[in-house]
Amino acid sequence: MCTAPEQASKASGNWSQLLLNKVVIVTGAGGGIGSAIAETCAAHGARVVIADINKKTADEVATKIISGDQTKAENVMSIELDVTDEQSITNAIKTVVDKWNTVDVLVNNAAIFTLCAVEDASADAWTKILNVNVRGYALMAKAVVPYMKKQRSGSIIQLASISSWIAQPNFVPYSTTKGAVLQMTRNLALDLGPFNIRCNAICPGTILTSATTGHAANLNLSMDEFTAEEVKKQCLKRLGSPQEIANIIVFLASDLCHFATGASFLVDGGYTTI
């Protein structure tokens, strides 16, 4: 079984300054894919806002970035943010703009994972997952778009999923929200294109995070058993790493990618190919 290439497993090495001085907000950045995105954007010179509903985990990610390079202390901000609360969003964006005057990049990453058959999903569960995974993305875009329009540039990157594209057993609530994210991305790209604001979606496959280990546990599988089953579904016979998602986020956020908008990028080891 293959393992992730070493260069894709960590946010170190000879990084260029692809995001130099860009103000990047990452939601759900207190762990998993979100923290890898924040760390990698910082490594590329961005002014990074680590936003999470859990301020403690956001602070920990900020400390990790700064401890690796004290020169980044002025370019990292951790902030408490509840994407389901419009006032929380307004307060967070004001804090960011007061310090750095604008927002160049929004990475909508915050999500919850409700995986079940439709008859097992309560009304409250539907409300919660739609509030975080769909409404939260829309409210964040609503808050940052005026600043992007003013400067006539910006990049909104939304974390969708292979679940936006394919049916999976007992995934109804989660897949529904990720399908909505994909369509939201296309519509944002159309509406915001005249202002030179790009909007794209990333569709990860099976990425090794705490959510993945939790899913394996819910299936009563060890991680070895779960991984063995998952890699059968992929061209590349391994799980992905958060760093591999972070790398493509940097590309889409950077000035290397001016003509890509309304697109969805599958980062799934070939899962949807087979």
Side-chain angles (χ1 to χ4, degrees):
M1 185 182 301
C2 298
T3 57
E6 184 177 353
Q7 66 269 25
S9 65
K10 54 188 178 181
S12 62
N14 296 319
W15 292 94
S16 61
Q17 298 291 285
L18 288 173
L19 303 181
L20 186 62
N21 294 331
K22 288 185 182 292
V23 178
V24 179
I25 298 176
V26 185
T27 69
I33 291 173
S35 61
I37 293 168
E39 291 170 31
T40 307
C41 288
H44 280 279
R47 294 168 173 166
V48 178
V49 181
I50 303 158
D52 201 280
I53 195 168
N54 186 333
K55 182 63 161 56
K56 181 175 182 291
T57 60
D59 289 343
E60 288 169 354
V61 174
T63 299
K64 181 180 177 182
I65 293 170
I66 295 167
S67 65
D69 184 351
Q70 287 295 323
T71 65
K72 291 185 169 60
E74 290 301 312
N75 287 332
V76 176
M77 176 192 300
S78 59
I79 197 164
E80 183 176 348
L81 173 65
D82 179 355
V83 298
T84 70
D85 182 343
E86 195 163 15
Q87 188 59 55
S88 176
I89 293 172
T90 299
N91 294 343
I93 299 304
K94 182 179 186 302
T95 299
V96 174
V97 173
D98 283 350
K99 182 170 184 177
W100 287 320
N101 299 316
T102 194
V103 178
D104 298 296
V105 180
L106 168 65
V107 182
N108 268 328
N109 169 75
I112 60 174
F113 300 85
T114 302
L115 307 176
C116 62
V118 69
E119 65 268 27
D120 296 324
S122 68
D124 286 345
W126 275 109
T127 298
K128 185 174 181 180
I129 195 169
L130 287 165
N131 272 344
V132 176
N133 294 13
V134 180
R135 182 172 170 271
Y137 281 27
L139 291 177
M140 286 299 301
K142 175 185 176 182
V144 304
V145 159
Y147 300 99
M148 293 181 175
K149 282 186 174 181
K150 183 177 180 180
Q151 66 191 16
R152 297 194 68 82
S153 68
S155 178
I156 298 172
I157 305 166
Q158 315 227 86
L159 269 291
S161 171
I162 58 170
S163 302
S164 306
W165 294 96
I166 62 173
Q168 296 162 283
N170 298 318
F171 261 60
V172 172
Y174 180 75
S175 293
T176 298
T177 64
K178 291 304 179 179
V181 167
L182 209 57
Q183 191 57 40
M184 185 197 306
T185 300
R186 296 184 183 111
N187 280 272
L188 287 174
L190 177 63
D191 291 347
L192 301 177
F195 302 93
N196 196 34
I197 301 168
R198 298 177 293 107
C199 189
N200 294 287
I202 303 296
C203 300
T206 308
I207 308 299
L208 185 55
T209 65
S210 59
T212 308
T213 56
H215 181 44
N218 288 336
L219 295 173
N220 294 315
L221 296 174
S222 69
M223 273 308 296
D224 286 343
E225 291 168 333
F226 176 79
T227 300
E229 288 301 311
E230 285 297 297
V231 300
K232 292 176 184 177
K233 306 169 186 176
Q234 299 169 185
C235 298
L236 300 177
K237 302 302 181 184
R238 61 175 176 84
L239 304 186
S241 72
Q243 186 63 52
E244 289 170 305
I245 305 302
N247 291 344
I248 195 167
I249 294 283
V250 167
F251 174 66
L252 289 172
S254 77
D255 294 335
L256 295 176
C257 202
H258 278 159
F259 204 53
T261 195
S264 51
F265 295 82
L266 288 156
V267 189
D268 65 355
Y271 194 118
T272 51
T273 299
I274 298 176

